[in-house]
Amino acid sequence: MKYSSHIFQKWILKMQIRSQLNRLIQRACERANILVDRVQVNEASKVAFGDYQFNGAMALAKSLKKKPRDIAQSIVDAIEDNDILEYVEIAGPGFINLHLSNNWLSTNIKNIVQDRRLGIVAKENPSKVVVDYSGPNMAKQMHVGHLRSTIIGDSLANLFTFLGDDVIRQNHIGDWGTQFGMLIAYLEELGEGGEGSLKDLEEFYKRAKQRFDEDENFANKSREYVVKLQGGDVRCLHLWENFIDKSLSHCEDVYSKLNIKLSREDVKAESSYNDDLANIVNDLEAKGLLKESQGAKVVFIEAEENPLIIQKSDGGFLYATTDLAAIRFRASKLGANRISYVVDARQAEHFKQIFSVAKMAGYVSEDVKLEHVSFGMMLDKSGRPFKTRDGGTVKLIDLLEEAVERAKGAISKRDSYEQEELEKVAEIIGIGAVKYSDLSINRESNYIFDWDKMLSLEGNTSLYQQYAYARIRSIFRKYNGKLEGDVILEEPQERLLALKLLQLEDTLYSSAKEAMPHYITSYLYELSTLFMKFYETCPILREDTPENIRQSRLILAQITANTLRLALDILGIKVLERI
RNA sequence: GCACCCGUGGCUCAGCUGGAUAGAGCAUCUGAUUGCGGUUCAGAAGGUCAUAGGUUCGAAUCCUAUCGGGUGUACCA
């Protein structure tokens, strides 16, 4: 989907509700001579308290030596004229409750009905953001261990892109290491006809390993091939490239099925940094950061128990070395202002060290934001690490096929589908369920993978959103007249829905800022439940609905559908016209 | 041993960086509805936010200790 804005800048009433309110209160504080470092307006905790609230007056009481209610009063008195607030009230010990103007809400809603970007303006000063995610190992088939990084990373990359950042996706694939000697030796042994056996990489790896363990000659050959590979032997390099190519195309099957936007252009393999590793060592040496410890070359970091090992005692490099080369490349060659590593939480210490050393060595300047977007483990329903019945790793492609099969089972009893349509619908629902359930929890916590829960129509699931979308589309199959007239917010359900629709922008920005996709899913769930309530109480196409009310409700429904589609698209989830 | 993360109703999770009576969804119970797609909607019940102290006008949120769970702890990635 392309997101070009169809409305002219001047027509846009600047939204970003929270920052508008923050500015309003900030200026009021200044006018009232109240010093406050950062004004933070929050969404009201209850409907009765208005739409937003500012709670800062209480905190200021002590330093100003005034009563909090008096402080609140002077802030309220100093709020300048504006068209966003209907009225303001002071409650309890000094809460300032802000009620938005219906007129402001309805004007803004009306303005975004034709806009593919729903009135959300891209950042004025975009950053260059590198998102490092997925990073599968080429020696093996992609397994569930790669699922979360791939899903979370891709959605963040989409989100940053939508908000206007210049995003560079980096798939840091593992294509180097001693096991490749064994793999290409085995590939060679099977001959050209043996390439078919690469279909199942897992099996291929196992057999190669078996040969390695059983046959001394084969093992020696494998070791020899590692050396040859590193030495740039043309024949070995050819075998290796061939192997990587096949393995990568397996990954692409997964990406394509998962609706992940990684392509070959985003691949920046570990091996591509090989030539730079010695430079990193020399550079750290020259900067006086490198120390010798127990035969290895390391960098000591303040307040860290263990140093970061840069070069092994046998002269070999480690992944820390590669990561430093990569971080330098990203900051200097790619010019990144923000580098996000979507990697599981177990590597927290590693990244902490890498980031420290990168800054110590000046590979990234102080203002570059380095973040480890960490996430918890994937567990099964009983809370144990997710494995196959016999304890093996679950291949990702198998898991995705199961998702589609299960989705088929969930919907086929509902309606009769043509076989072809059933496949298409099941794929969208099944894959959507896998992605949404992953994205809908706080990524930091462990993730319990539960088929029944994710494929349910009830609760915070993708299917519930997809259903809400399809339901709205069904209204517009019945009605295909024009959308015109004003938005009228008389019923509470209409107003609540309108406000929620206008909060998408704030949600997206805070989700991007903290790299927390679950802010978006929470928003979506609130939105679709609000829509369902609206739909229940506010008839649209019924005969007795006056035309002006009908138009207003159609506009609300239309924007709800657009919002669902847009936000789900950012999460990499597709919608269906009918389910 | 040390470091980091996590303990919120039976289950799965929110809780916007300290605010008002801690919110949802499953599951359980009750009700609406011949419906613009009821696979919906309304309502009830269910919590000493692991425990004990502390800071504060105010704590699930910050500090300390304890208990319980997880992860990581120099030449694998």
Side-chain angles (χ1 to χ4, degrees):
Chain A
M1 202 197 286
K2 288 258 162 50
Y3 300 108
S4 51
S5 197
H6 291 153
I7 45 178
F8 292 105
Q9 198 75 22
K10 62 175 180 180
W11 289 356
I12 300 174
L13 296 185
K14 198 108 168 87
M15 292 205 298
Q16 293 191 25
I17 304 177
R18 270 175 78 162
S19 30
Q20 271 203 68
L21 295 175
N22 284 340
R23 276 197 298 275
L24 215 50
I25 299 293
Q26 179 82 48
R27 279 203 293 270
C29 289
E30 283 162 16
R31 284 156 59 125
N33 283 321
I34 294 170
L35 224 76
V36 49
D37 47 346
R38 191 185 57 129
V39 166
Q40 175 77 29
V41 166
N42 292 326
E43 282 174 34
S45 54
K46 280 183 199 308
V47 188
F49 302 151
D51 303 314
Y52 288 83
Q53 58 182 218
F54 176 63
N55 305 328
M58 276 97 70
L60 291 164
K62 189 164 245 182
S63 60
L64 297 178
K65 294 191 173 115
K66 284 183 184 167
K67 289 181 188 159
R69 273 195 81 103
D70 293 345
I71 296 168
Q73 190 61 55
S74 43
I75 294 172
V76 168
D77 290 342
I79 295 175
E80 58 201 20
D81 279 349
N82 64 83
D83 56 4
I84 182 169
L85 291 173
E86 185 78 51
Y87 65 100
V88 175
E89 61 189 354
I90 299 169
F95 296 101
I96 299 178
N97 293 339
L98 308 171
H99 299 254
L100 301 191
S101 134
N102 275 16
N103 190 34
W104 186 89
L105 291 173
S106 58
T107 310
N108 277 282
I109 284 288
K110 200 186 155 187
N111 277 350
I112 62 173
V113 71
Q114 296 295 342
D115 186 29
R116 296 293 289 266
R117 291 186 59 95
L118 296 167
I120 298 170
V121 199
K123 280 186 188 172
E124 282 169 22
N125 38 5
S127 307
K128 189 162 270 191
V129 186
V130 165
V131 185
D132 176 325
Y133 67 104
S134 198
N137 184 344
M138 292 297 110
K140 296 187 177 181
Q141 202 125 349
M142 279 184 90
H143 56 86
V144 295
H146 302 109
L147 185 63
R148 302 206 68 195
S149 171
T150 306
I151 290 175
I152 295 168
D154 200 59
S155 71
L156 288 175
N158 292 343
L159 175 62
F160 297 154
T161 304
F162 178 76
L163 294 179
D165 283 330
D166 183 2
V167 174
I168 303 171
R169 293 163 200 254
Q170 292 277 278
N171 195 358
H172 191 77
I173 62 169
D175 66 339
W176 202 249
T178 49
Q179 72 265 56
F180 288 98
M182 172 183 92
L183 293 170
I184 60 173
Y186 187 55
L187 182 61
E188 186 189 40
E189 191 169 274
L190 293 177
E192 289 301 312
E195 283 189 11
S197 59
L198 280 175
K199 269 198 182 124
D200 189 338
L201 265 184
E202 216 58 34
E203 195 55 31
F204 186 87
Y205 187 92
K206 257 188 229 160
R207 286 198 197 140
K209 185 79 170 64
Q210 203 178 354
R211 289 283 291 124
F212 186 90
D213 291 338
E214 284 170 4
D215 187 336
E216 188 65 25
N217 289 333
F218 182 81
N220 285 333
K221 194 177 176 190
S222 298
R223 293 190 196 98
E224 185 189 315
Y225 273 25
V226 174
V227 177
K228 278 189 169 179
L229 202 53
Q230 285 168 346
D233 177 88
V234 175
R235 205 175 116 67
C236 280
L237 271 176
H238 180 73
L239 282 165
W240 171 74
E241 279 165 5
N242 190 2
F243 183 90
I244 299 299
D245 182 66
K246 293 290 185 309
S247 181
L248 199 50
S249 63
H250 284 166
C251 296
E252 283 164 342
D253 291 344
V254 171
Y255 295 152
S256 149
K257 193 150 189 116
L258 253 184
N259 190 21
I260 294 296
K261 293 183 184 64
L262 283 171
S263 70
R264 296 242 167 176
E265 286 160 29
D266 305 314
V267 170
K268 178 77 177 144
E270 269 179 40
S271 64
S272 71
Y273 298 106
N274 285 351
D275 294 343
D276 206 26
L277 301 181
N279 299 336
I280 292 285
V281 176
N282 293 337
D283 185 72
L284 291 172
E285 179 97 65
K287 284 173 175 150
L289 294 169
L290 215 57
K291 301 278 185 298
E292 183 125 347
S293 172
Q294 296 173 32
K297 290 183 174 171
V298 307
V299 176
F300 284 94
I301 302 159
E302 204 182 342
E304 288 273 337
E305 190 187 346
N306 292 322
L308 182 68
I309 302 180
I310 306 297
Q311 190 170 22
K312 296 196 283 185
S313 44
D314 69 1
F317 303 110
L318 294 113
Y319 76 135
T321 329
T322 313
D323 277 344
L324 283 173
I327 211 167
R328 184 166 78 164
F329 170 78
R330 290 162 185 186
S332 60
K333 291 274 176 14
L334 299 179
N337 313 110
R338 176 179 184 179
I339 310 177
S340 307
Y341 291 83
V342 189
V343 181
D344 76 274
R346 284 177 298 193
Q347 300 201 35
E349 261 109 277
H350 170 70
F351 282 110
K352 204 175 152 202
Q353 291 192 316
I354 294 291
F355 294 167
S356 298
V357 173
K359 298 233 157 159
M360 283 163 71
Y363 294 159
V364 296
S365 56
E366 282 303 320
D367 56 339
V368 171
K369 182 173 180 184
L370 298 174
E371 64 182 344
H372 175 206
V373 179
S374 77
F375 54 84
M377 291 187 298
M378 185 159 141
L379 307 174
D380 65 20
K381 220 172 166 175
S382 53
R384 287 186 286 264
F386 197 86
K387 294 273 169 67
T388 56
R389 209 164 284 163
D390 55 354
T393 51
V394 178
K395 279 187 246 163
L396 208 38
I397 199 77
D398 294 345
L399 181 108
L400 298 180
E401 272 160 20
E402 184 171 355
V404 175
E405 283 311 307
R406 283 177 181 265
K408 229 179 263 181
I411 57 170
S412 58
K413 55 180 176 242
R414 172 182 164 74
D415 251 321
S416 54
Y417 286 98
E418 298 292 322
Q419 189 58 32
E420 199 179 323
E421 195 188 2
L422 180 67
E423 293 292 332
K424 194 191 123 210
V425 170
E427 175 132 346
I428 289 175
I429 290 174
I431 299 299
V434 168
K435 296 179 87 171
Y436 191 96
S437 67
D438 198 327
L439 294 168
S440 65
I441 60 155
N442 186 331
R443 57 173 167 74
E444 304 264 15
S445 43
N446 287 340
Y447 164 46
I448 293 181
F449 190 91
D450 181 345
W451 286 116
D452 295 327
K453 199 184 153 201
M454 75 177 74
L455 281 162
S456 168
L457 189 92
E458 268 117 52
N460 187 9
T461 65
S462 57
L463 190 47
Y464 186 77
Q465 320 296 339
Q466 287 165 329
Y467 177 70
Y469 179 81
R471 220 172 172 186
I472 298 172
R473 296 305 304 148
S474 136
I475 298 172
F476 286 97
R477 274 194 295 276
K478 287 210 163 87
Y479 176 88
N480 47 18
K482 290 208 160 179
L483 286 184
E484 54 195 13
D486 289 327
V487 173
I488 302 160
L489 304 175
E490 275 172 356
E491 297 295 324
Q493 289 84 355
E494 293 171 320
R495 192 180 186 282
L496 286 170
L497 181 60
L499 176 59
K500 184 59 74 182
L501 288 169
L502 292 175
Q503 286 169 338
L504 174 68
E505 183 171 34
D506 282 333
T507 304
L508 295 182
Y509 272 104
S510 50
S511 173
K513 189 177 169 205
E514 296 175 45
M516 285 292 196
H518 83 282
Y519 291 179
I520 300 176
T521 56
S522 296
Y523 169 84
L524 278 173
Y525 185 57
E526 286 161 17
L527 174 65
S528 44
T529 52
L530 281 177
F531 175 78
M532 292 298 187
K533 288 170 192 179
F534 157 81
Y535 188 75
E536 201 72 23
T537 46
C538 301
I540 301 172
L541 296 182
R542 276 223 307 251
E543 298 265 328
D544 54 352
T545 305
E547 183 58 24
N548 61 336
I549 300 288
R550 170 176 304 151
Q551 285 299 321
S552 167
R553 289 177 182 170
L554 281 166
I555 290 172
L556 286 170
Q558 179 67 62
I559 296 175
T560 303
N562 292 350
T563 303
L564 289 170
R565 189 180 52 196
L566 173 60
L568 286 171
D569 187 56
I570 286 171
L571 298 179
I573 295 168
K574 294 176 181 168
V575 290
L576 291 153
E577 291 302 300
R578 59 180 96 213
I579 292 176

